[in-house]
């Protein structure tokens, strides 16, 4: 009876002490839940504004929500007197174990997030990376799908692409076609230069701005080498290169400007007859 009476006497104090803790815990939980939803919405909005892949957007937004919500639960339990140090240690150990087990996948995921955030390449770009080259068809969370010019599909891990050098041939609107044209040593230099410039002036793909370059660059072992460097639209690069190569060959032939083959001089020495 004394124990019961003692509990009854302490009831107001217990209600005040633990009741306030429970109320504060509920407030912390509700505020944390609201804040976690807010973080999810803001993350989704930010990634959508950057036109990030919807799959990545959903994953990152849910991950941000989960992180905030877990901290909310830990703070709520701590408010009502639960020892959260061991709980945090267990969560940390579990996270470390999962991270070690999935380090390859997590590395690819992190690289995928960096790719969609910083955009070293976009869908439709022709790139060279990780020892492969092709047009980017799709960028997913863990891998990037490339299509080669001969219509093969290559799926490369995102980490392999991001950890190396990426050459994006589609990043700029214009590209320069670099050609080296070798002519015979007895060719007329002025005539050769005029033939080359006339071709560039009348080619449908060559841009007026930036200006092209035609110059004598080297006295080679077998030929006089001219550099021909016109600027074209990125989409017209290969069409311009193929057409210019054909036009230059035909124009040089029409003007009797020789294109020499590699030559080698062989000297034959006669040895004295053996005695």
């Amino acid at each position: 009876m004394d124990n019961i009476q003692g509990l009854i006497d302490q009831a107001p104090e217990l209600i005040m002490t633990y009741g306030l803790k429970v109320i504060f815990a509920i407030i912390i939980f509700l505020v944390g839940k609201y804040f976690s939803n807010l973080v999810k919405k803001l993350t989704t909005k930010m990634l959508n504004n950057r036109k990030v892949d919807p799959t990545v957007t959903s994953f990152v937004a849910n991950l941000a929500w989960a992180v905030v919500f877990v901290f909310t639960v830990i703070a709520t339990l701590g408010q009502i007197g639960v020892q959260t140090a061991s709980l945090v240690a267990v969560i940390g150990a579990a996270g470390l174990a999962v991270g070690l087990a999935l380090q390859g996948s997590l590395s690819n995921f992190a690289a995928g997030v960096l790719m969609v955030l910083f955009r070293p390449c976009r869908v439709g770009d022709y790139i060279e990376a990780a020892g492969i080259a092709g047009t980017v068809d799709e960028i997913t969370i863990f891998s990037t799908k490339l299509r080669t010019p001969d219509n093969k599909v290559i799926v490369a891990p995102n980490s392999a692409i991001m950890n190396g050098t990426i050459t994006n041939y589609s990043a700029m609107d214009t590209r320069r076609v670099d050609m080296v044209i070798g002519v015979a040593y007895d060719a007329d230099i002025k005539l050769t230069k005029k033939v080359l410039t006339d071709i560039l002036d009348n080619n449908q793909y060559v841009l007026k701005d930036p200006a092209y370059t035609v110059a004598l660059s080297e006295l080679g072992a077998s030929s006089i080498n001219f550099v021909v460097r016109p600027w074209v639209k990125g989409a017209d690069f290969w069409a311009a290169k193929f057409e210019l190569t054909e036009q230059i060959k035909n124009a040089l032939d029409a003007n009797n400007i020789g294109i020499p083959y590699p030559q080698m001089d062989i000297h034959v020495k006669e040895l004295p007859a053996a005695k």
Side-chain angles (χ1 to χ4, degrees):
M1 294 295 295
D2 293 339
N3 292 335
I4 297 175
Q5 185 62 39
L7 291 175
I8 294 174
D9 294 338
Q10 295 178 2
E13 182 179 354
L14 292 174
I15 292 175
M16 287 295 297
T17 302
Y18 290 101
L20 290 176
K21 288 185 176 181
V22 171
I23 292 174
F24 282 124
I26 293 174
I27 293 174
I28 290 173
F29 179 79
L30 294 177
V31 172
K33 185 178 180 181
Y34 171 79
F35 187 69
S36 62
N37 291 331
L38 180 62
V39 168
K40 181 179 179 179
K41 290 180 180 179
L42 292 176
T43 303
T44 302
K45 183 178 180 180
M46 180 188 68
L47 296 178
N48 285 335
N49 289 338
R50 289 177 170 266
K51 297 181 180 179
V52 176
D53 184 86
T55 305
V56 177
T57 299
S58 176
F59 185 87
V60 173
N62 288 325
L63 182 63
W65 177 89
V67 170
V68 177
F69 189 75
V70 167
F71 279 106
T72 299
V73 172
I74 292 175
T76 302
L77 294 176
Q79 178 62 35
I80 61 178
V82 177
Q83 296 296 325
T84 58
S86 58
L87 180 61
V88 172
V90 170
I91 293 176
L96 179 62
V98 172
L100 291 175
L102 301 176
Q103 58 181 345
S105 298
L106 292 177
S107 175
N108 289 326
F109 168 75
V113 172
L114 292 176
M115 288 182 67
V116 295
L117 288 178
F118 296 104
R119 294 186 177 275
C121 59
R122 302 168 183 264
V123 173
D125 287 352
Y126 186 85
I127 67 169
E128 184 177 347
I132 56 178
T135 302
V136 179
D137 272 351
E138 185 180 5
I139 301 175
T140 64
I141 295 178
F142 299 106
S143 63
T144 297
K145 184 184 293 184
L146 301 177
R147 177 170 39 86
T148 63
D150 57 347
N151 216 29
K152 291 185 294 187
V153 175
I154 300 176
V155 180
N158 287 333
S159 59
I161 293 178
M162 286 298 293
N163 289 338
T165 301
I166 301 175
T167 303
N168 191 336
Y169 294 98
S170 304
M172 307 301 292
D173 293 333
T174 58
R175 286 184 62 184
R176 192 180 72 185
V177 181
D178 290 350
M179 307 176 71
V180 178
I181 307 300
V183 299
Y185 264 91
D186 59 359
D188 188 319
I189 294 178
K190 291 183 178 180
L191 176 60
T192 304
K193 194 170 183 179
K194 182 179 183 303
V195 169
L196 296 175
T197 55
D198 286 344
I199 291 173
L200 298 184
D201 287 336
N202 295 287
N203 186 271
Q204 59 178 330
Y205 298 114
V206 176
L207 301 176
K208 305 301 180 183
D209 185 25
Y212 60 76
T213 299
V214 176
L216 178 60
S217 66
E218 182 185 16
L219 301 178
S222 303
S223 62
I224 300 174
N225 296 327
F226 286 82
V227 290
V228 179
R229 296 173 178 172
W231 289 87
V232 300
K233 293 181 179 179
D236 297 334
F237 179 83
W238 288 110
K241 185 177 178 65
F242 296 150
E243 184 172 297
L244 286 171
T245 301
E246 182 177 348
Q247 289 179 346
I248 290 172
K249 175 63 169 65
N250 291 334
L252 293 179
D253 289 345
N255 287 274
N256 295 318
I257 300 174
I259 302 176
Y261 297 99
Q263 300 177 11
M264 179 183 296
D265 291 336
I266 300 177
H267 301 272
V268 180
K269 293 184 177 180
E270 184 177 355
L271 299 177
K275 295 182 180 179

